[in-house]
Amino acid sequence: GMVPAVDVDDVHITGSFGVAASSSGEPFNFDAVSRRADAALYEAKRAGRNRVAVAPLVGPGPQPVATILRGAA
C-alpha cells in the first residue's frame, strides 16, 4: 500500500551519535574504531537526547570513554 503523507511540522526526531577516528599514520583497525564508536554512542544515549559523543584517540594512560557534545533542543 501507499504510505500516507505526513505534515513535517508534526514530526519530531532526536538523535544520538557516537564518533571515533583512527590516529594518522597508524594501521586502520575497523573493529577497534567500531568498538570505540559504539561505546561513545552509549555514552551519548546516557547523556540524553540530541547528543554526540566523541571517543578520544587511543593513547597512553587512562582515557575517558567520550566527550559529550549537546545538540539543539
Side-chain angles (χ1 to χ4, degrees):
M2 303 256 325
V3 176
V6 176
D7 183 355
V8 294
D9 290 333
D10 294 332
V11 176
H12 302 279
I13 298 173
T14 64
S16 297
F17 301 91
V19 179
S22 60
S23 297
S24 178
E26 294 291 322
F28 182 72
N29 182 329
F30 177 82
D31 290 334
V33 173
S34 179
R35 281 192 301 274
R36 291 176 35 247
D38 191 55
L41 169 62
Y42 283 96
E43 287 297 314
K45 286 182 174 191
R46 275 192 279 278
R49 294 183 174 158
N50 295 326
R51 300 291 193 274
V52 175
V54 181
L57 291 175
V58 176
Q63 300 288 316
V65 173
T67 300
I68 306 294
L69 308 175
R70 182 163 196 241

